[in-house]
């Protein structure tokens, strides 16, 4: 056994199951027993079953694990939930010992780790440590791409207010729609442990606070940094949420990643105040953005990701970080053909409007 790598042993997975580790997904056969020569570090293992006609399930689940050199990790297929889980029967340590002694016989049943994309994967996970993985992974250890909710008893369902006139209900703002939705509770054991991001404003915010927070998010960023243990935690969360989305197609994780990116991109004052942090932030997103699906990377005024990155570049240049800005622009131009012209010119929509009044 080569002690410079780790090994993943999988038992009971059905024929044609989609199996993935990091950036490579394959359809396995009945002879598949796992993966060999896994390099030390953070890796995402995931799977998705297929129906009798060979169509992939919309449900995809997996786990993130920090593999160590010489480690043997054993997982089994749960037929009821159609996902990989920890071994439930027998003495796991004794089983690992037998596997280690018989690795040569298992060799032809083990797929070789995909080294073609190892550099790209390391760039997407270079802030993640074993401790960070443990901190953000769900309590159950399994990450699913669909949010699971606890059932809502009828007595807890929201009721309409009979004293509220119908005409008044109709003109409520979109912000109030949540009051009519069921008070569903997420099953926390199955969801990543992300930080709760501060809102830009609430019902008690003054008009001036709302306006300022929409123009520059420094107040929200300051509040967030005061609530989390360290700023590096947010960078770890940025990478964790992105690879969860990339590997499981979780809309919730994509949304969380988008909120963090939007928050950090739209503050000129934060770039000035936290320059070292922003250097790390830019280095992370430069590798993430080219991995976003093609439908999200169109260069247009309606693409919110493109708009946020343009705002970030402008804020960098206004704070003597032109070298970072130019490096990011070149990378995005080379990888996804994004270009950014007239960064320091005011957006016409932000300029004061002159209104002529006839007297």
């Amino acid at each position: 056994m080569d002690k410079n790598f780790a090994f993943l042993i999988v038992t009971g997975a059905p024929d044609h199951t989609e199996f993935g580790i990091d950036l490579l997904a394959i359809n396995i056969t009945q002879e598949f027993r796992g993966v060999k020569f896994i390099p030390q570090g953070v890796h995402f293992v995931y799977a998705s079953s297929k129906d009798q006609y060979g169509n992939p399930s919309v449900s995809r689940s997996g786990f993130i694990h920090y593999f160590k050199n010489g480690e043997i990790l054993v997982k089994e297929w749960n037929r009821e939930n159609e996902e990989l889980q920890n071994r439930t029967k027998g003495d796991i340590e004794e089983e690992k010992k037998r596997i280690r002694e018989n690795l040569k016989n298992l060799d032809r049943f083990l797929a070789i780790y995909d080294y073609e994309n190892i550099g790209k994967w390391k760039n997407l996970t270079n802030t993640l440590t074993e401790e960070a993985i443990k901190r953000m992974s769900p309590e159950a250890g399994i990450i699913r791409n669909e949010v699971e909710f606890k059932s809502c008893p009828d007595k807890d369902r929201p009721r309409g207010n009979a004293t509220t006139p119908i005409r008044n209900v109709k003109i409520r703002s979109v912000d109030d729609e949540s009051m009519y939705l069921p008070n569903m509770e997420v099953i926390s054991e199955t969801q990543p442990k992300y930080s709760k991001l501060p809102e830009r404003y609430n019902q008690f915010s003054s008009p001036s606070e709302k306006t300022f927070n929409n123009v520059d998010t420094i107040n929200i960023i300051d509040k967030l940094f005061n609530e989390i243990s360290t700023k590096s935690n947010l960078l770890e969360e940025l990478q964790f949420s992105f690879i969860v989305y990339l590997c499981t197609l979780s809309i919730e994780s994509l949304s969380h990643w988008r909120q963090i990116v939007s928050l950090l991109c739209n503050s000129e004052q934060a770039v000035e105040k936290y320059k070292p942090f922003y250097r790390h932030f830019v280095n992370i997103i430069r590798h993430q953005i080219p991995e976003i699906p093609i439908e999200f990377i169109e260069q247009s005024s309606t693409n919110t990701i493109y708009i946020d990155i343009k705002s970030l570049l402008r804020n960098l240049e206004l704070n003597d970080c032109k070298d970072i800005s130019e490096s990011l622009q070149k990378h995005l131009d080379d990888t996804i053909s994004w270009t950014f012209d007239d960064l320091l010119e005011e957006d016409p929509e932000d300029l004061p409007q002159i209104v002529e009044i006839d007297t």
Side-chain angles (χ1 to χ4, degrees):
M1 174 182 173
D2 195 326
K3 295 183 179 181
N4 295 320
F5 303 97
F7 294 78
L8 171 67
I9 306 300
V10 176
T11 66
D15 197 14
H16 302 304
T17 296
E18 181 188 44
F19 173 89
I21 179 168
D22 301 342
L23 299 176
L24 178 68
I26 58 175
N27 292 324
I28 64 174
T29 66
Q30 289 182 339
E31 292 186 337
F32 176 80
R33 292 294 181 273
V35 182
K36 60 184 175 181
F37 303 149
I38 302 172
Q40 180 167 292
V42 173
H43 298 285
F44 200 129
V45 177
Y46 50 97
S48 177
S49 63
K50 292 191 176 184
D51 61 24
Q52 58 181 327
Y53 304 106
N55 298 315
S57 169
V58 296
S59 177
R60 182 184 279 185
S61 63
F63 61 93
I64 303 179
H65 183 75
Y66 190 94
F67 285 84
K68 299 176 182 178
N69 288 336
E71 178 181 8
I72 292 178
L73 181 67
V74 182
K75 294 286 182 175
E76 66 182 15
W77 183 257
N78 183 316
R79 293 186 178 275
E80 181 179 351
N81 296 333
E82 296 187 320
E83 62 189 15
L84 295 171
Q85 66 177 21
N86 292 329
R87 210 72 161 120
T88 56
K89 298 179 180 179
D91 186 330
I92 184 62
E93 294 304 320
E94 182 62 30
E95 183 176 17
K96 287 181 181 180
K97 180 181 178 181
R98 291 197 305 269
I99 291 172
R100 185 171 280 107
E101 293 171 349
N102 292 279
L103 268 178
K104 286 186 178 180
N105 297 328
L106 275 175
D107 187 76
R108 66 189 182 93
F109 301 108
L110 301 177
I112 299 176
Y113 179 83
D114 173 34
Y115 277 87
E116 183 177 346
N117 292 306
I118 185 63
K120 184 182 294 185
W121 181 255
K122 285 185 175 180
N123 286 333
L124 292 171
T125 58
N126 57 11
T127 71
L128 295 176
T129 61
E130 185 175 9
E131 291 71 26
I133 294 301
K134 291 179 180 179
R135 186 182 75 246
M136 289 180 281
S137 291
E139 294 176 18
I142 298 173
I143 298 174
R144 301 187 178 101
N145 67 345
E146 297 175 338
V147 176
E148 296 184 55
F149 297 94
K150 294 181 180 178
S151 59
C152 181
D154 185 68
K155 64 182 180 64
D156 293 334
R157 297 185 186 277
R159 308 294 181 183
N161 187 346
T163 62
T164 303
I166 296 295
R167 63 181 182 181
N168 287 345
V169 171
K170 289 182 179 179
I171 62 173
R172 287 186 182 273
S173 68
V174 176
D175 294 338
D176 293 298
E177 287 184 357
S178 60
M179 69 179 291
Y180 302 107
L181 299 176
N183 185 21
M184 302 294 284
E185 184 178 353
V186 175
I187 301 177
S188 61
E189 293 84 356
T190 64
Q191 293 302 306
K193 300 173 185 176
Y194 296 139
S195 301
K196 182 175 176 56
L197 303 178
E199 297 179 350
R200 295 200 181 190
Y201 52 82
N202 54 44
Q203 59 181 328
F204 303 109
S205 300
S206 67
S208 61
E209 288 175 327
K210 291 181 180 180
T211 300
F212 179 80
N213 290 342
N214 277 328
V215 173
D216 194 304
T217 56
I218 181 63
N219 291 335
I220 300 92
I221 293 172
D222 280 342
K223 183 178 180 181
L224 178 60
F225 284 168
N226 287 331
E227 292 176 350
I228 60 179
S229 299
T230 65
K231 298 181 186 67
S232 62
N233 281 10
L234 190 63
L235 298 177
E236 293 167 348
E237 201 162 313
L238 191 69
Q239 287 197 328
F240 188 96
S241 60
F242 188 80
I243 63 171
V244 169
Y245 162 68
L246 204 60
C247 295
T248 70
L249 306 180
S250 166
I251 298 302
E252 285 70 34
S253 288
L254 174 62
S255 175
H256 189 73
W257 175 83
R258 279 293 295 118
Q259 290 178 60
I260 296 175
V261 171
S262 180
L263 184 65
L264 296 176
C265 284
N266 290 286
S267 177
E268 178 184 343
Q269 293 187 37
V271 174
E272 179 182 13
K273 187 174 182 180
Y274 303 111
K275 281 186 181 179
F277 170 85
Y278 269 86
R279 287 185 178 273
H280 292 297
F281 169 62
V282 171
N283 190 51
I284 288 175
I285 61 173
R286 68 183 281 119
H287 297 294
Q288 292 178 333
I289 294 172
E291 300 304 317
I292 298 173
I294 189 67
E295 58 267 27
F296 293 140
I297 60 173
E298 179 186 4
Q299 180 178 328
S300 71
S301 59
T302 58
N303 183 348
T304 57
I305 299 178
Y306 175 79
I307 293 171
D308 283 343
I309 297 303
K310 188 173 183 178
S311 176
L312 171 65
L313 292 169
R314 180 176 183 275
N315 291 329
L316 289 169
E317 296 207 359
L318 288 172
N319 284 283
D320 299 324
C321 296
K322 193 171 183 178
D323 58 325
I324 309 175
S325 173
E326 290 180 345
S327 176
L328 180 57
Q329 288 182 67
K330 185 179 186 307
H331 182 73
L332 295 179
D333 187 13
D334 291 342
T335 54
I336 56 176
S337 301
W338 271 7
T339 58
F340 302 89
D341 300 322
D342 306 321
L343 281 175
L344 299 183
E345 287 191 8
E346 293 286 348
D347 189 326
E349 293 185 3
D350 296 333
L351 296 175
Q353 300 295 314
I354 299 175
V355 180
E356 294 184 359
I357 302 177
D358 294 331
T359 58

